[in-house]
mmCIF file of all heavy atoms in Angstrom:
data_model
loop_
_atom_site.group_PDB
_atom_site.id
_atom_site.type_symbol
_atom_site.label_atom_id
_atom_site.label_comp_id
_atom_site.label_asym_id
_atom_site.label_seq_id
_atom_site.Cartn_x
_atom_site.Cartn_y
_atom_site.Cartn_z
ATOM 1 N N TYR A 934 -55.147 22.782 -46.637
ATOM 2 C CA TYR A 934 -56.484 23.360 -46.861
ATOM 3 C C TYR A 934 -57.410 22.204 -47.359
ATOM 4 O O TYR A 934 -56.926 21.069 -47.523
ATOM 5 C CB TYR A 934 -56.471 24.558 -47.903
ATOM 6 C CG TYR A 934 -55.646 25.666 -47.399
ATOM 7 C CD1 TYR A 934 -54.332 25.801 -47.887
ATOM 8 C CD2 TYR A 934 -56.079 26.605 -46.507
ATOM 9 C CE1 TYR A 934 -53.490 26.880 -47.498
ATOM 10 C CE2 TYR A 934 -55.373 27.722 -46.128
ATOM 11 C CZ TYR A 934 -54.058 27.782 -46.595
ATOM 12 O OH TYR A 934 -53.275 28.846 -46.184
ATOM 13 N N HIS A 935 -58.655 22.467 -47.567
ATOM 14 C CA HIS A 935 -59.538 21.455 -48.049
ATOM 15 C C HIS A 935 -60.559 21.983 -49.044
ATOM 16 O O HIS A 935 -60.748 23.246 -49.163
ATOM 17 C CB HIS A 935 -60.315 20.796 -46.856
ATOM 18 C CG HIS A 935 -61.203 21.750 -46.103
ATOM 19 N ND1 HIS A 935 -60.848 22.290 -44.927
ATOM 20 C CD2 HIS A 935 -62.394 22.280 -46.425
ATOM 21 C CE1 HIS A 935 -61.799 23.079 -44.504
ATOM 22 N NE2 HIS A 935 -62.787 23.089 -45.410
ATOM 23 N N VAL A 947 -67.973 -1.279 -48.484
ATOM 24 C CA VAL A 947 -68.192 -0.624 -47.133
ATOM 25 C C VAL A 947 -67.346 -1.403 -46.205
ATOM 26 O O VAL A 947 -67.312 -2.655 -46.143
ATOM 27 C CB VAL A 947 -69.690 -0.638 -46.732
ATOM 28 C CG1 VAL A 947 -69.824 0.043 -45.385
ATOM 29 C CG2 VAL A 947 -70.552 -0.013 -47.791
ATOM 30 N N GLN A 952 -62.187 -2.453 -34.221
ATOM 31 C CA GLN A 952 -61.736 -1.794 -32.966
ATOM 32 C C GLN A 952 -62.317 -0.361 -32.863
ATOM 33 O O GLN A 952 -61.935 0.292 -31.884
ATOM 34 C CB GLN A 952 -60.205 -1.766 -32.989
ATOM 35 C CG GLN A 952 -59.447 -3.018 -32.873
ATOM 36 C CD GLN A 952 -59.422 -3.832 -34.153
ATOM 37 O OE1 GLN A 952 -59.549 -3.251 -35.149
ATOM 38 N NE2 GLN A 952 -59.195 -5.138 -34.043
ATOM 39 N N GLY A 994 -59.175 16.902 -48.448
ATOM 40 C CA GLY A 994 -57.971 17.733 -48.095
ATOM 41 C C GLY A 994 -56.688 16.813 -48.205
ATOM 42 O O GLY A 994 -56.742 15.574 -48.411
ATOM 43 N N ALA A 1051 -46.563 -13.692 -40.357
ATOM 44 C CA ALA A 1051 -47.419 -12.914 -39.550
ATOM 45 C C ALA A 1051 -46.996 -11.426 -39.669
ATOM 46 O O ALA A 1051 -45.804 -11.165 -39.838
ATOM 47 C CB ALA A 1051 -47.391 -13.317 -38.069
ATOM 48 N N LYS A 1141 -37.129 -13.951 -67.447
ATOM 49 C CA LYS A 1141 -37.362 -15.316 -67.798
ATOM 50 C C LYS A 1141 -36.979 -16.253 -66.687
ATOM 51 O O LYS A 1141 -37.671 -17.264 -66.460
ATOM 52 C CB LYS A 1141 -36.566 -15.662 -69.051
ATOM 53 C CG LYS A 1141 -37.126 -15.016 -70.372
ATOM 54 C CD LYS A 1141 -36.274 -15.439 -71.543
ATOM 55 C CE LYS A 1141 -36.899 -14.799 -72.852
ATOM 56 N NZ LYS A 1141 -36.169 -15.161 -74.057
ATOM 57 N N TYR A 1161 -30.263 -19.429 -42.795
ATOM 58 C CA TYR A 1161 -31.150 -19.576 -43.896
ATOM 59 C C TYR A 1161 -30.472 -19.392 -45.249
ATOM 60 O O TYR A 1161 -31.119 -19.278 -46.264
ATOM 61 C CB TYR A 1161 -32.305 -18.567 -43.793
ATOM 62 C CG TYR A 1161 -33.270 -18.810 -42.674
ATOM 63 C CD1 TYR A 1161 -33.252 -17.910 -41.516
ATOM 64 C CD2 TYR A 1161 -34.066 -19.904 -42.635
ATOM 65 C CE1 TYR A 1161 -34.104 -18.167 -40.477
ATOM 66 C CE2 TYR A 1161 -34.971 -20.101 -41.576
ATOM 67 C CZ TYR A 1161 -34.980 -19.216 -40.480
ATOM 68 O OH TYR A 1161 -35.826 -19.463 -39.457
ATOM 69 N N LYS A 1217 -20.943 -40.156 -47.322
ATOM 70 C CA LYS A 1217 -20.041 -41.165 -46.669
ATOM 71 C C LYS A 1217 -18.612 -40.503 -46.518
ATOM 72 O O LYS A 1217 -18.005 -40.654 -45.476
ATOM 73 C CB LYS A 1217 -19.861 -42.462 -47.481
ATOM 74 C CG LYS A 1217 -21.241 -43.195 -47.601
ATOM 75 C CD LYS A 1217 -21.081 -44.485 -48.330
ATOM 76 C CE LYS A 1217 -22.364 -45.214 -48.320
ATOM 77 N NZ LYS A 1217 -22.262 -46.503 -49.105
ATOM 78 N N ILE A 1241 -11.512 -1.111 -56.646
ATOM 79 C CA ILE A 1241 -11.402 -2.585 -56.371
ATOM 80 C C ILE A 1241 -12.174 -3.335 -57.323
ATOM 81 O O ILE A 1241 -13.394 -3.116 -57.651
ATOM 82 C CB ILE A 1241 -11.890 -2.812 -54.884
ATOM 83 C CG1 ILE A 1241 -10.989 -2.011 -53.902
ATOM 84 C CG2 ILE A 1241 -11.815 -4.314 -54.641
ATOM 85 C CD1 ILE A 1241 -11.514 -2.190 -52.469
ATOM 86 N N SER A 1246 -14.925 -15.565 -60.798
ATOM 87 C CA SER A 1246 -14.820 -17.068 -60.885
ATOM 88 C C SER A 1246 -14.498 -17.665 -59.517
ATOM 89 O O SER A 1246 -14.488 -18.861 -59.324
ATOM 90 C CB SER A 1246 -13.709 -17.409 -61.862
ATOM 91 O OG SER A 1246 -12.482 -16.987 -61.501
ATOM 92 N N LYS A 1299 -3.075 -11.575 -35.507
ATOM 93 C CA LYS A 1299 -2.818 -11.866 -36.894
ATOM 94 C C LYS A 1299 -3.222 -13.334 -37.108
ATOM 95 O O LYS A 1299 -2.669 -14.275 -36.455
ATOM 96 C CB LYS A 1299 -1.366 -11.706 -37.232
ATOM 97 C CG LYS A 1299 -1.011 -11.844 -38.684
ATOM 98 C CD LYS A 1299 0.420 -11.448 -39.026
ATOM 99 C CE LYS A 1299 0.604 -11.570 -40.593
ATOM 100 N NZ LYS A 1299 2.019 -11.235 -40.876
ATOM 101 N N LEU A 1308 -19.356 -13.671 -52.862
ATOM 102 C CA LEU A 1308 -19.382 -12.315 -53.389
ATOM 103 C C LEU A 1308 -20.761 -11.676 -53.086
ATOM 104 O O LEU A 1308 -21.786 -12.164 -53.549
ATOM 105 C CB LEU A 1308 -19.128 -12.303 -54.911
ATOM 106 C CG LEU A 1308 -17.761 -12.850 -55.277
ATOM 107 C CD1 LEU A 1308 -17.674 -12.843 -56.838
ATOM 108 C CD2 LEU A 1308 -16.627 -12.135 -54.775
ATOM 109 N N PRO A 1320 -26.625 -4.882 -61.295
ATOM 110 C CA PRO A 1320 -26.143 -5.273 -59.944
ATOM 111 C C PRO A 1320 -24.604 -5.284 -59.895
ATOM 112 O O PRO A 1320 -23.992 -5.551 -60.887
ATOM 113 C CB PRO A 1320 -26.631 -6.592 -59.783
ATOM 114 C CG PRO A 1320 -27.790 -6.748 -60.743
ATOM 115 C CD PRO A 1320 -27.434 -5.874 -61.921
ATOM 116 N N LEU A 1413 7.296 39.351 61.759
ATOM 117 C CA LEU A 1413 6.743 38.874 63.002
ATOM 118 C C LEU A 1413 7.873 38.568 64.131
ATOM 119 O O LEU A 1413 7.495 38.759 65.218
ATOM 120 C CB LEU A 1413 5.898 37.555 62.671
ATOM 121 C CG LEU A 1413 4.555 37.782 61.843
ATOM 122 C CD1 LEU A 1413 3.978 36.503 61.598
ATOM 123 C CD2 LEU A 1413 3.620 38.755 62.589
#
Side-chain angles (χ1 to χ4, degrees):
Y934 300 98
H935 62 259
V947 181
Q952 291 82 18
K1141 289 184 178 179
Y1161 294 110
K1217 294 182 179 179
I1241 299 176
S1246 63
K1299 188 174 182 180
L1308 298 178
L1413 291 176

